[in-house]
Amino acid sequence: SIGFERRMTRTPSKWLIIPLLLLIAALTIVGLDADSLWVDEHWTIYLAGDIDEGPLSAAQIWARTSSEDFYWPPGYVLLYAGWRELVGWTPLAGRALSLLVGLLTVAWTYRLGADVLNRRAGLIAALLIGTSAYFLYFFHELRGYVLYVLFITITVWSYWQITRGHGRRPHYALLFIGALGLLYTNYLAALTLVVLGAYHLLFVPKDRRWWAVALTVAAPGLLFLPWLTVI
């Protein structure tokens, strides 16, 4: 019991992440409609189909993005279009997507740090990213910057779980989703897969788990091939 009490005093409670998330939400919610849409946000709306022409289908969004905006893959625009159909077309409703994704990113950052090291490391990591003014700024932008940080966190966390022997089917599914999201959200974010690939090749034992991870990440690569012609 003495050892347990010592651990409790040394290791922060996991519930401390909740006040941090509430504080971040309070700081960022007020910014959802604090300023007007700027040109890049109007561009997002156009790619998804503006109010005058109505919503576009996924195929139409793909075609429009590939012909007019090859600097960004269409992942965020497709997600935004689906979100907009659920919550409405107002800028406030659309920007709420980035806010929710941002809060989820902070929470998942805590989970990553806590699992790799300990709860203290998780809280420090969440505090650092959750108080970054540059990161919080994009909580009220109709752009995919916050989304690809979430995909980085998901990918690294699921990869860590699998390679440490804790992986289950949901972890492989999340690794697949994270890798596909990185490729289809931002080209630079996809460099995360290059770093993990190098680590996987050099330091991870070449067993059945190694091949399972490699095939799980290779599948999104194959699904990204149609966009390579756009690049």
Side-chain angles (χ1 to χ4, degrees):
S1 62
I2 295 176
F4 175 77
E5 290 176 359
R6 287 177 178 175
R7 287 194 299 272
M8 289 300 293
T9 56
R10 293 177 182 175
T11 304
S13 171
K14 62 183 179 181
W15 300 110
L16 292 178
I17 189 65
I18 296 178
L20 176 61
L21 292 173
L22 292 175
L23 175 61
I24 295 171
L27 292 174
T28 52
I29 285 176
V30 295
L32 290 180
D33 61 350
D35 52 5
S36 301
L37 295 173
W38 70 297
V39 60
D40 282 12
E41 292 180 294
H42 281 293
W43 188 249
T44 297
I45 295 172
Y46 166 72
L47 292 175
D50 57 32
I51 297 177
D52 293 333
E53 63 183 340
L56 301 180
S57 66
Q60 290 173 317
I61 293 173
W62 177 287
R64 176 171 288 186
T65 307
S66 62
S67 61
E68 301 188 42
D69 188 17
F70 50 86
Y71 294 106
W72 279 75
Y76 173 75
V77 178
L78 289 169
L79 179 63
Y80 163 70
W83 171 263
R84 191 175 61 179
E85 290 304 298
L86 292 175
V87 302
W89 289 62
T90 66
L92 176 66
R95 285 171 168 175
L97 173 62
S98 294
L99 172 66
L100 294 177
V101 169
L103 292 174
L104 183 58
T105 302
V106 175
W108 219 308
T109 299
Y110 165 78
R111 184 74 268 165
L112 174 62
D115 288 349
V116 173
L117 293 175
N118 51 50
R119 292 177 184 173
R120 188 182 304 277
L123 284 171
I124 292 174
L127 183 65
L128 288 173
I129 192 173
T131 57
S132 168
Y134 186 74
F135 182 64
L136 295 182
Y137 174 80
F138 291 104
F139 276 41
H140 75 289
E141 290 276 309
L142 289 175
R143 303 295 288 170
Y145 297 107
V146 177
L147 180 63
Y148 80 66
V149 180
L150 174 62
F151 281 132
I152 289 174
T153 311
I154 291 174
T155 302
V156 175
W157 177 81
S158 56
Y159 176 81
W160 178 267
Q161 292 292 329
I162 294 170
T163 55
R164 290 306 178 274
H166 307 304
R168 300 292 185 268
R169 288 183 179 178
H171 294 101
Y172 284 96
L174 286 171
L175 180 61
F176 173 85
I177 293 171
L180 186 65
L182 287 174
L183 292 171
Y184 270 108
T185 303
N186 186 276
Y187 301 130
L188 292 179
L191 292 175
T192 304
L193 300 178
V194 176
V195 175
L196 286 182
Y199 177 86
H200 195 64
L201 182 64
L202 296 174
F203 301 109
V204 178
K206 309 304 186 292
D207 52 14
R208 292 180 60 184
R209 189 183 301 121
W210 188 94
W211 283 104
V213 170
L215 292 174
T216 301
V217 177
L222 293 176
L223 293 177
F224 189 66
L225 290 178
W227 195 259
L228 288 180
T229 58
V230 179
I231 299 177

